[in-house]
Amino acid sequence: PPPPSGTNLSIGAGADGSSKASGTSYGNVRDGSISTYWSPAGSTGSISIKWGSATRVSRVVIREPSGTQGSIGSWQLVNHDTGAVLASGSGAGSSTFAATSLSKITFKINSSGGTPRVGEFETYAS
C-alpha cells in the first residue's frame, strides 16, 4: 500500500516479540527499510511496537519484504495494555481502527503459508 499521510510512529520506538528466526531482529520492523525483516521461529508468532508513554494510534500498515508477499495468513492487532483486539484480518496491508492511546501494540500472526516475514510494522495517528 502507498504510505499514509503523517509520521510513522514506529520509527524510533521499541520493538519486541515472540521467538524470532535465526538472522532476523525485532528492530528490523521499525527501521524504515523493507529489505530487513522479522520472522517468527515457526509459522505463527507476534511482534510488538512499544513506546515509553501512551501514544495515539489509529492505523497500522504491515509490509512484507519483496518476493515474500502472501505468506502472512490470519492475524490480530492487539492493544497489549488491555488485551483488546483492535482489528483482525488476513494478509499484509493497511488496517484502520478507532483511535486508541496505548504504550504497546502487538501484531499477532495466527496462521501463515510457510514462514511469514514482516518487513515493516508502521503505526500512524491517523
Side-chain angles (χ1 to χ4, degrees), residues 25-65:
S25 169
Y26 304 126
N28 288 344
V29 304
R30 45 98 174 135
D31 62 359
S33 170
I34 195 68
S35 63
T36 60
Y37 62 90
W38 165 85
S39 264
S43 59
T44 63
S46 60
I47 182 79
S48 302
I49 298 293
K50 57 185 180 178
W51 298 272
S53 58
T55 299
R56 190 173 173 88
V57 178
S58 68
R59 186 175 185 187
V60 162
V61 178
I62 300 294
R63 299 183 188 276
E64 296 173 285

Side-chain angles (χ1 to χ4, degrees), residues 57-110:
V57 178
S58 68
R59 186 175 185 187
V60 162
V61 178
I62 300 294
R63 299 183 188 276
E64 296 173 285
S66 179
T68 68
Q69 289 89 348
S71 62
I72 295 172
S74 64
W75 52 264
Q76 292 176 310
L77 273 174
V78 178
N79 176 343
H80 193 87
D81 300 352
T82 64
V85 175
L86 300 170
S88 59
S90 61
S94 178
S95 179
T96 304
F97 45 89
T100 305
S101 288
L102 42 74
S103 60
K104 185 174 179 178
I105 187 169
T106 299
F107 181 66
K108 183 179 179 186
I109 300 170
N110 296 316

Side-chain angles (χ1 to χ4, degrees), residues 8 22 52 100:
N8 175 8
S22 176
T100 305

